[in-house]
Amino acid sequence: MNKIFEKFKNYYINLNSEDLNIVNLEKREIALIPFKEDLMIRHLGFKDTNSLKDYLIKNVPLHLYYSSAYYENPQVEDMNLKNWEGADLIFDVDADHIPTDCKILHDKWFCLNCNLQGFGIAPEECPKCGQKRIDTNTWICERCLEVAKIEVLKLIDEYLIPDFGISSKEIEICFSGHRGYHLHIYSEYYKKLSSDGRREIADYIRGIGIDLKAHGLRKVNGIITGPNIREKGWRGRIAKSFYEYLSRASLEELMNIIGKSAEIIIKKRDKILDSIMMNGWFIPKGIGLKRISKIIKEAIKQNFCNIDERVTIDTKRLIRYPNSLHGKTGLKVCRLNYIDLEKFDPLKDAIVFKTGTMKIYVKEMPKIRIGNYEIGPLKNETIEVPESMAIYLICKGAAEMRN
């Protein structure tokens, strides 16, 4: 890793100090994982970006973090003496939390008990021996990152701005340098919010505990009615989710939810869909409120926003530092504004090391694109590739440098 260390060091030497600027740096705890030790150095504090840059050149980080929290004394080791003053509201959208069809092409899992192997998303327990000791080898492809970006746009456009009244100017978007995106909400309104309050927000966005009756689904005089698809918030979202799910659901999928009654739904599907658009909610005879509720709950599962709730509810989270390098990819943690997000290509625009080539030995890798260069799948091969691809694979632990 000496070559990679020198690359990272030169990056921080040449980095403009202003690129390390974050809101209230002097109130943040800074933490890093250095190259030569597998441990996190925490409780660092800096008054300005020049002193931080000097420290990073002398202590080159493999990973660099800062606290979502603001402290009176960020450099104090005892958390109780730091004096918490508030925290940004953070959302983490990671591609590995979103089920995508491409995972079966690049992800592997291994049972550490019976050695059974499989492709795609790892099961909670081994289908052969039933043990839960399962290891994984996961990769992120451009399809994964595109789905994560769509999820970020959904989070902003369908939840944060319309439902919470957050301005796009209060939202900072960061590509994490690896699996997805972090959203930082800089708002005094949310700064002092407790962990419980943040959990309420996360649950709302994830559709946890939605009371369908309170949102307009009910039976009145023997007739089932539902919310208007054009209403704001979860009322309209329930109607929209039901409409979209019913539009594409197969008979088999519906039978798994409500049994043989699914045949009635399929037979009357067009009339049901038309009625939802007209806000009439025609539900055919033989389909009760309980069965409709089951379909809606399944529809919500497929339409809620995939965020990592652990990040949102944590009022003292350490999060990737903007414009630092991610030690598992060599890609840059990129700041983005809302307008630039749609055209952002993380596997191209986050590349830092763009010159020259490197000879590497590849242990095993799926098909991967970095920049405009695409290779794979490969196993036990020595090849010469662009520097950005070589550093990506070495940081992933999938390759070693060769002379």
Side-chain angles (χ1 to χ4, degrees):
M1 291 286 279
N2 286 341
K3 180 82 171 178
I4 307 299
F5 172 82
E6 290 300 324
K7 289 286 182 184
F8 273 50
K9 184 174 182 177
N10 285 332
Y11 171 78
Y12 287 107
I13 289 173
N14 294 317
L15 184 66
N16 192 325
S17 296
E18 292 178 0
D19 289 335
L20 291 171
N21 193 34
I22 56 174
V23 176
N24 293 128
L25 168 61
E26 72 282 2
K27 297 279 187 182
R28 310 282 193 165
E29 177 190 345
I30 306 299
L32 62 87
I33 296 177
F35 263 80
K36 297 176 181 176
E37 297 176 82
D38 189 19
L39 57 84
M40 178 175 278
I41 300 172
R42 291 192 55 178
H43 313 299
L44 303 172
F46 298 90
K47 294 295 182 186
D48 55 59
T49 54
N50 287 326
S51 57
L52 173 57
K53 179 181 173 179
D54 290 343
Y55 183 88
L56 296 179
I57 293 171
K58 294 172 185 171
N59 304 272
V60 180
L62 187 60
H63 304 276
L64 180 64
Y65 307 91
Y66 74 106
S67 64
S68 64
Y70 303 86
Y71 300 106
E72 181 182 3
N73 306 305
Q75 75 284 0
V76 174
E77 290 189 14
D78 187 335
M79 296 300 289
N80 294 321
L81 298 179
K82 283 182 183 289
N83 291 341
W84 186 86
E85 295 180 344
D88 301 324
L89 182 61
I90 305 284
F91 297 97
D92 180 19
V93 178
D94 266 0
D96 57 343
H97 294 157
I98 306 172
T100 54
D101 295 340
C102 55
K103 284 184 169 54
I104 201 164
L105 300 175
H106 53 65
D107 288 357
K108 280 185 177 180
W109 57 266
F110 314 85
C111 175
L112 298 175
N113 185 58
C114 70
N115 296 321
L116 184 70
Q117 300 182 16
F119 293 90
I121 298 173
E124 290 188 7
E125 59 183 43
C126 176
K128 182 180 177 183
C129 69
Q131 295 294 311
K132 295 185 177 181
R133 295 177 61 239
I134 293 176
D135 197 7
T136 58
N137 182 13
T138 60
W139 292 75
I140 300 295
C141 70
E142 55 189 296
R143 170 63 182 156
C144 295
L145 291 171
E146 184 61 26
V147 171
K149 185 199 295 185
I150 292 170
E151 204 70 4
V152 170
L153 290 168
K154 181 167 73 174
L155 175 60
I156 295 172
D157 293 339
E158 298 185 20
Y159 290 88
L160 298 184
I161 291 177
D163 288 8
F164 290 94
I166 294 171
S167 161
S168 60
K169 294 178 181 176
E170 296 174 304
I171 303 172
E172 180 178 271
I173 307 164
C174 278
F175 169 57
S176 70
H178 191 198
R179 295 191 176 100
Y181 297 85
H182 301 149
L183 272 67
H184 304 242
I185 311 302
Y186 297 113
S187 167
E188 290 296 320
Y189 187 78
Y190 296 102
K191 189 175 175 181
K192 295 279 189 180
L193 199 61
S194 67
S195 182
D196 287 343
R198 292 166 196 253
R199 183 185 296 278
E200 289 287 326
I201 293 174
D203 285 351
Y204 178 90
I205 289 171
R206 297 175 68 235
I208 305 293
I210 296 293
D211 184 338
L212 298 181
K213 185 177 179 182
H215 286 82
L217 183 70
R218 60 193 68 185
K219 195 171 187 178
V220 180
N221 298 326
I223 299 173
I224 295 173
T225 63
N228 188 328
I229 198 169
R230 295 169 186 81
E231 286 186 86
K232 294 181 179 178
W234 267 106
R235 291 178 71 91
R237 199 170 288 126
I238 286 170
K240 184 180 175 187
S241 298
F242 181 52
Y243 181 93
E244 290 179 350
Y245 180 76
L246 207 57
S247 298
R248 63 175 184 269
S250 66
L251 175 61
E252 185 180 7
E253 288 172 318
L254 284 170
M255 286 186 74
N256 287 334
I257 302 171
I258 60 171
K260 202 169 174 58
S261 300
E263 293 176 353
I264 302 174
I265 294 283
I266 293 294
K267 190 175 180 181
K268 300 288 185 180
R269 172 155 52 189
D270 290 345
K271 190 172 181 180
I272 297 171
L273 294 175
D274 288 345
S275 73
I276 294 171
M277 289 304 292
M278 298 296 291
N279 194 29
W281 278 74
F282 164 75
I283 303 298
K285 289 182 180 178
I287 305 296
L289 190 61
K290 200 170 180 179
R291 289 190 172 91
I292 291 298
S293 297
K294 284 184 176 179
I295 297 173
I296 290 176
K297 287 176 181 175
E298 181 61 28
I300 289 173
K301 281 183 195 173
Q302 298 188 17
N303 283 285
F304 68 74
C305 210
N306 282 286
I307 59 170
D308 185 341
E309 77 281 4
R310 295 169 302 176
V311 175
T312 299
I313 67 176
D314 192 344
T315 58
K316 300 173 183 174
R317 191 77 179 182
L318 291 173
I319 201 93
R320 293 270 169 192
Y321 204 107
N323 291 321
S324 66
L325 298 179
H326 196 300
K328 289 186 177 177
T329 62
L331 298 176
K332 184 168 74 172
V333 180
C334 294
R335 275 190 177 121
L336 305 163
N337 61 45
Y338 176 77
I339 295 173
D340 292 336
L341 177 60
E342 197 163 352
K343 63 182 180 183
F344 178 70
D345 179 352
L347 296 180
K348 186 174 183 181
D349 298 330
I351 293 175
V352 170
F353 308 111
K354 299 178 179 177
T355 58
T357 59
M358 286 186 185
K359 185 180 283 187
I360 56 172
Y361 166 73
V362 178
K363 302 171 192 172
E364 187 173 9
M365 63 172 288
K367 184 178 179 181
I368 290 292
R369 174 182 70 84
I370 298 293
N372 294 322
Y373 188 82
E374 186 175 82
I375 55 169
L378 296 175
K379 188 173 183 179
N380 298 327
E381 288 194 39
T382 299
I383 54 172
E384 188 165 335
V385 296
E387 189 178 69
S388 56
M389 176 66 80
I391 291 175
Y392 182 88
L393 293 173
I394 292 169
C395 287
K396 284 282 292 179
E400 297 171 355
M401 193 169 295
R402 289 288 186 267
N403 295 321

